[in-house]
């Protein structure tokens, strides 16, 4: 599993799940995240996530495919 540390910009409180996955090049379109969410392939802090606009805050951990993303 590849571990990724995502650093929020100064002044940013959060990043949405869809924007995070696009920024890290895990997905390239909204259709891809929709597929992952519908098939329960994304977990957010250990719980299956269903919302692409979920706000991700520091210390949150997202698992998708072969990636573990930690927000800092």
């Amino acid at each position: 599993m590849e571990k990724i540390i995502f650093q929020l910009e100064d002044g940013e409180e959060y990043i949405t799940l869809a924007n995070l996955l696009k920024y890290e090049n895990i997905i390239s379109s909204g259709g891809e995240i929709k597929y992952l969410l519908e098939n329960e392939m994304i977990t957010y802090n250990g719980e299956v996530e269903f919302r692409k606009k979920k706000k991700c805050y520091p210390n949150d951990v997202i698992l998708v495919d072969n990636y573990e993303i930690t927000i800092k």
Side-chain angles (χ1 to χ4, degrees), residues 7 12-13 19 25 28-29 41 45 47-49 62 71:
Q7 182 70 47
E12 278 186 327
E13 273 187 62
N19 287 342
N25 293 316
S28 60
S29 72
M41 299 172 73
N45 293 334
E47 301 287 326
V48 175
E49 185 55 56
I62 296 92
I71 310 296

Side-chain angles (χ1 to χ4, degrees), residues 14 16-17 22 24 33 45-46 50 53 61 65 70 72:
Y14 64 86
T16 64
L17 181 59
K22 285 180 186 176
E24 292 296 338
I33 192 168
N45 293 334
F50 299 98
K53 295 197 178 200
V61 177
D65 270 345
T70 302
K72 294 290 181 183

Side-chain angles (χ1 to χ4, degrees), residues 5-47:
I5 304 295
F6 179 83
Q7 182 70 47
L8 289 171
E9 297 290 326
D10 286 339
E12 278 186 327
E13 273 187 62
Y14 64 86
I15 185 169
T16 64
L17 181 59
N19 287 342
L20 173 65
L21 297 181
K22 285 180 186 176
Y23 182 84
E24 292 296 338
N25 293 316
I26 296 170
I27 62 166
S28 60
S29 72
E32 287 180 77
I33 192 168
K34 183 178 178 184
Y35 173 83
L36 294 170
L37 293 168
E38 287 176 350
N39 290 284
E40 301 182 3
M41 299 172 73
I42 299 176
T43 61
Y44 175 85
N45 293 334
E47 301 287 326

